[in-house]
Amino acid sequence: MGGHESYVTFCQLEDEAAFTCSADCTIRRWDVKTGQCLQVYRGHTSIVNRILVANDQLFSSSYDRTARAWTVDKEQVSKEFRGHRNCVLTLAYSAPKDLPSDSCLEAAMGGGLLVTGSTDDTAKVWQVASGCCHQTLRGHTGAVLCLVLDVSSHTAFTGSTDATVRAWDILSGEQLRVFREHQGSVICLELTDRLLYTGSADRTVKCWLADTGERVRTFPAHRHSVSALKYHAGTCK
């Protein structure tokens, strides 16, 4: 099997494999040591934006307005998540072990929860086992560009072109708080040690207390939009 026929939009390393997605509408699995393409996942009808390998599952989001779950070894779609009115940009996953042990919810959430963000200004929470939409998170007035989950508190943080970050309870759908000091789109998020770091088109990174929404520091050094950030060993890059 050959390579992608258009540009690669995202890559994830998982054990000794690399998963890539592309504007050619496919996802590919590669042997990192040999460079050989092992599998091709076909089904999306437009650009695949993001992929996420978790809990022995492969999840993907696309401009075709869907997210999908795949059986990794069989190259087959196991679930389609349809409901967004525009392209799906970003993904996060909460495994069953991280969800509350509630007999009323156990059957519905036995496959975990998938959270998706879209240019339709919403995020959605999906039951992976059934493919049903569990909650729609409404409040942003611009596209949802990025999201991150705090699995211990069942909280999703979403960043948007409306220059805000919002915190949500993914079980109830309740909006918990709004982070409002950026002057441009919020492009990337990182959550660590109860601190939320946000990178923006306003050329700054801000650090917030995740539990209260209080801003504790601004990093203003960049000359252009901050498109990615990573916290490592006490430093944010």
Side-chain angles (χ1 to χ4, degrees):
M1 289 182 281
H4 285 293
E5 297 174 2
S6 188
Y7 60 88
V8 174
T9 55
F10 195 74
C11 175
Q12 180 176 340
L13 294 176
E14 189 71 14
D15 297 326
E16 294 183 353
F19 292 82
T20 57
C21 57
S22 168
D24 67 8
C25 308
T26 72
I27 303 159
R28 292 174 186 256
R29 182 185 186 187
W30 307 83
D31 185 308
V32 173
K33 293 181 178 179
T34 66
Q36 180 184 1
C37 181
L38 302 175
Q39 291 171 298
V40 182
Y41 305 83
R42 305 180 191 276
H44 280 298
T45 58
S46 189
I47 297 169
V48 185
N49 293 306
R50 288 290 185 274
I51 47 177
L52 172 64
V53 181
N55 202 37
D56 297 322
Q57 298 177 92
L58 170 63
F59 300 99
S60 58
S61 65
S62 172
Y63 269 69
D64 66 12
R65 305 183 184 183
T66 72
R68 303 185 186 213
W70 307 78
T71 303
V72 175
D73 294 333
K74 296 182 179 180
E75 306 176 11
Q76 294 177 345
V77 175
S78 57
K79 283 289 183 299
E80 290 188 9
F81 307 96
R82 292 184 176 273
H84 280 297
R85 293 178 288 104
N86 215 325
C87 59
V88 186
L89 295 180
T90 186
L91 298 164
Y93 176 74
S94 183
K97 65 181 178 61
D98 298 318
L99 298 171
S101 300
D102 184 326
S103 58
C104 296
L105 298 174
E106 190 170 351
M109 299 187 185
L113 294 175
L114 180 69
V115 187
T116 57
S118 169
T119 56
D120 66 9
D121 303 353
T122 72
K124 287 182 180 286
V125 184
W126 308 86
Q127 298 169 3
V128 172
S130 67
C132 295
C133 182
H134 177 69
Q135 299 288 351
T136 298
L137 311 179
R138 292 186 174 91
H140 283 296
T141 57
V144 178
L145 302 181
C146 51
L147 69 89
V148 66
L149 280 183
D150 177 10
V151 295
S152 64
S153 66
H154 319 119
T155 302
F157 298 88
T158 54
S160 169
T161 57
D162 67 11
T164 71
V165 176
R166 294 169 192 253
W168 313 82
D169 184 316
I170 62 172
L171 301 180
S172 68
E174 178 187 1
Q175 181 176 284
L176 302 174
R177 64 195 70 91
V178 184
F179 305 70
R180 291 188 184 275
E181 291 193 22
H182 277 297
Q183 302 302 309
S185 299
V186 180
I187 299 170
C188 50
L189 302 171
E190 178 88 346
L191 179 66
T192 183
D193 296 332
R194 312 309 307 158
L195 295 174
L196 181 69
Y197 295 88
T198 58
S200 171
D202 67 10
R203 302 180 292 179
T204 71
V205 171
K206 293 182 184 291
C207 176
W208 317 75
L209 297 179
D211 296 331
T212 65
E214 178 187 353
R215 180 187 53 80
V216 295
R217 189 169 182 182
T218 297
F219 304 86
H222 284 284
R223 297 179 181 176
H224 300 284
S225 297
V226 181
S227 57
L229 57 86
K230 187 70 175 177
Y231 180 91
H232 176 70
T235 61
C236 186
K237 301 179 180 180

